[in-house]
Amino acid sequence: MSTPSRSGQLTALSMSALALLLEGPRHPYEMFQIMMSRREDVIVKLRAGTLYHSVGRLADGGLVRAIGTERDGNRPERTTYEITPAGREALRGAVAERLAVPAREYPIFPVALAEIHALPAEEAIDRLRTRLDAVREDVRMLETGREAALGRGTPPIHLLDLDYLITQRRGEIDWLMRVIDRIGTPELAWSPHSGATGFDQKAQL
């Protein structure tokens, strides 16, 4: 099995784990709790078992090391880890690269937009309105999570991801509202050969 020995091989969860250990030694359960309190579950697929596995792979790659274990009553032993110099270098490299270079992530929504003409115009509008409601709810959830994290004393520097996502979602809301209004106009008339009934076909009847 390969190990994340270079910054380019770090997953999103590995980066988050290394960043937490950059703040100080912790055991994975504590790391999981902190990540949940900061709402990092909205930017990485966060599961306790997956986090434990990720920390284990970082240890195999020499990016973190175990510095002790402790037991609390009948609970399983918890191993505390600290970041190594190699881990610090890998994290710095990964953060610097991903801040500067936009990743081609190929999300599915633009693909659906490219083929929106496969639906009748009325259905396309209905589906986009459903998405609009969902994005608005997402913004409310993100804003609530950010305020809760600030209330728990989380430094704002650790919440820039939520700021970004909130701003991004608000931009999508504005865009969706404009597109919904444009569908059926001459600018976004459905093609007669699209196979879907649209407002432009009705206008020709």
Side-chain angles (χ1 to χ4, degrees), residues 71-83:
R71 182 187 294 275
D72 183 8
N74 294 325
R75 295 179 179 176
E77 285 188 346
R78 291 175 178 170
T79 301
T80 298
Y81 294 87
E82 69 177 4
I83 193 169

Side-chain angles (χ1 to χ4, degrees), residues 71-198:
R71 182 187 294 275
D72 183 8
N74 294 325
R75 295 179 179 176
E77 285 188 346
R78 291 175 178 170
T79 301
T80 298
Y81 294 87
E82 69 177 4
I83 193 169
T84 65
R88 291 173 181 269
E89 181 180 353
L91 178 60
R92 283 197 297 268
V95 171
E97 178 181 352
R98 286 166 173 81
L99 282 177
V101 182
R104 293 190 177 273
E105 298 173 327
Y106 303 103
I108 196 65
F109 181 54
V111 178
L113 285 173
E115 313 305 337
I116 194 172
H117 55 83
L119 297 178
E122 296 93 332
E123 183 178 356
I125 290 174
D126 182 64
R127 297 295 179 172
L128 290 178
R129 284 175 175 161
T130 299
R131 182 183 182 93
L132 179 60
D133 290 340
V135 176
R136 283 171 171 157
E137 180 58 32
D138 200 22
V139 169
R140 285 192 287 269
M141 180 271 292
L142 290 168
E143 290 176 335
T144 298
R146 184 180 184 278
E147 292 306 310
L150 288 171
R152 289 190 292 269
T154 302
I157 190 67
H158 292 303
L159 300 174
L160 285 179
D161 54 332
L162 296 186
D163 287 342
Y164 170 76
L165 291 175
I166 290 169
T167 302
Q168 185 183 58
R169 300 293 198 275
R170 286 175 176 166
E172 182 175 347
I173 288 171
D174 291 341
W175 185 86
L176 286 169
M177 292 174 65
R178 291 196 303 272
V179 168
I180 289 170
D181 287 341
R182 290 164 61 202
I183 290 178
T185 68
E187 181 185 6
L188 284 183
W190 255 226
S191 169
H193 55 73
S194 67
T197 302

